[in-house]
Amino acid sequence: MGTQLMLAGLANGDCGEAWNLSHPERVLKIQRSYVEAGTDCLISNTFGGSRLMLKRHGHVDQLRELNQAGARIAREAFGDRQGFVLGDLGPLGAILQPYGDLPAEEAQAAYEEQARALVEAGADAIIIETQTSLEEIGVAIDAAKAAGAPCIIASLAYDLSADKSFYVTMMGVMPERAAEFAEERGAHVIALNCGTGMDMNGAAMVAKQYRDACSLPVMVQPNAGLPVLENMKAVYKQLPVDMAKHVPDALTAGANIIGSCCGSTPEHTRAIQGVVKEFNRK
């Protein structure tokens, strides 16, 4: 099997927060901590950077500035090291017609505007993440292509079924269908991130389904175990060493790029990186 890459970054940063501009050093410090942990890829802090999301926070006029700052900070975090910046497009926070009220044309325009800003700032790829419907991820892929993205990553969020036997998105999309769709639509990488019950074991299960359904490279970003509720907050308690134990399963199942999502820290990245290094030596 070919060399695997490590992935890390502020996958769930909210670009609607004013501190992204007023305190960029905070974002840079966090991104650098992942670089120091050994990551090869950083996700820009632009999860909520679309026109639709920024409007809710009163920052829509800063859309281009916010997104380009996110890409530049991620690039700066690598310093003299080689690394890949993934420009992050998160969900638009609305359901597309005919199931919801958002016209597909408006959704595509919003994604294209954000993707173009990230590409112009030097992002090596566009990652369309935490997606649950084929309708939205389809228009986002089209938008990223129109914006000139050199690489497009289609990442879906899956929930574990009640009987714990399979994974499916909130909108009923199965992994096999998502993989087929992403390849047909023109994405370059099929991925997963987040989701209820999506741990490293689950990532291995879905990675195999992806591998069997399409020829695209596979990327996985599972959560740091299953959350528990403490003081009305979801807390992830899986230790880095415990998460890393199951990394070989995900790699053997076909994952080419591997990282982590909710609840993870630079220490989780460091532990995963150690396993990936050993795997690449084989």
Side-chain angles (χ1 to χ4, degrees):
M1 186 174 293
T3 298
Q4 315 301 305
L5 294 177
M6 275 297 303
L7 168 75
L10 294 168
N12 293 312
D14 187 349
C15 203
E17 298 287 350
W19 53 256
N20 191 39
L21 279 180
S22 60
H23 299 289
E25 69 280 358
R26 297 181 186 176
V27 181
L28 179 59
K29 182 179 180 181
I30 295 170
Q31 295 283 41
R32 277 181 173 161
S33 69
Y34 283 96
V35 172
E36 291 166 0
T39 191
D40 299 300
C41 307
L42 283 173
I43 295 176
S44 65
N45 184 37
T46 56
F47 180 87
S50 69
R51 172 168 295 274
L52 276 67
M53 296 295 283
L54 288 175
K55 187 175 182 180
R56 300 170 190 173
H57 296 281
H59 293 291
V60 69
D61 292 340
Q62 297 169 295
L63 186 148
R64 181 181 173 83
E65 186 179 5
L66 284 164
N67 280 280
Q68 295 203 337
R72 286 195 300 269
I73 289 170
R75 179 71 67 198
E76 184 180 350
F78 280 112
D80 295 331
R81 252 197 62 190
Q82 182 182 13
F84 301 95
V85 173
L86 313 184
D88 194 7
L89 306 185
L92 296 175
I95 299 177
L96 273 64
Q97 294 176 348
Y99 308 105
D101 300 325
L102 182 62
E105 297 80 7
E106 185 177 343
Q108 182 165 339
Y111 273 131
E112 184 175 341
E113 180 181 31
Q114 185 185 6
R116 193 173 299 279
L118 290 163
V119 170
E120 289 176 355
D124 298 298
I126 292 295
I127 178 170
I128 305 158
E129 62 138 314
T130 320
Q131 296 290 316
T132 60
S133 75
L134 297 183
E135 291 77 17
E136 183 170 351
I137 203 167
V139 299
I141 291 171
D142 292 345
K145 286 194 288 187
C151 177
I152 301 170
I153 303 167
S155 186
L156 293 92
Y158 297 98
D159 300 324
L160 185 60
S161 64
D163 65 0
K164 300 184 179 181
S165 64
F166 65 92
Y167 283 90
V168 62
T169 76
M170 180 179 68
M171 299 299 286
V173 182
M174 302 296 288
E176 296 92 342
R177 178 61 189 131
E180 293 169 350
F181 180 87
E183 187 168 35
E184 292 164 1
R185 200 66 168 236
H188 302 99
V189 178
I190 181 65
L192 67 87
N193 72 283
C194 204
T196 304
M198 179 53 74
D199 57 10
M200 194 63 76
N201 285 326
M205 180 189 301
V206 175
K208 185 178 187 306
Q209 292 173 304
Y210 278 169
R211 178 65 60 210
D212 291 342
C214 75
S215 61
L216 297 178
V218 174
M219 184 176 97
V220 299
Q221 281 183 275
N223 297 333
L226 305 179
V228 296
L229 195 62
E230 292 186 353
N231 298 318
M232 300 307 294
K233 290 184 178 181
V235 180
Y236 294 83
K237 293 191 172 184
Q238 187 175 54
L239 297 174
V241 65
D242 293 327
M243 189 179 205
K245 285 178 183 177
H246 302 287
V247 168
D249 297 330
L251 295 173
T252 301
N256 303 100
I257 307 171
I258 188 164
S260 52
C261 197
C262 298
S264 61
T265 68
E267 290 308 311
H268 288 83
T269 294
R270 184 171 283 106
I272 294 170
Q273 193 247 15
V275 177
V276 171
K277 274 189 172 181
E278 183 61 31
F279 187 87
N280 285 335
R281 293 193 188 102
K282 296 179 180 178

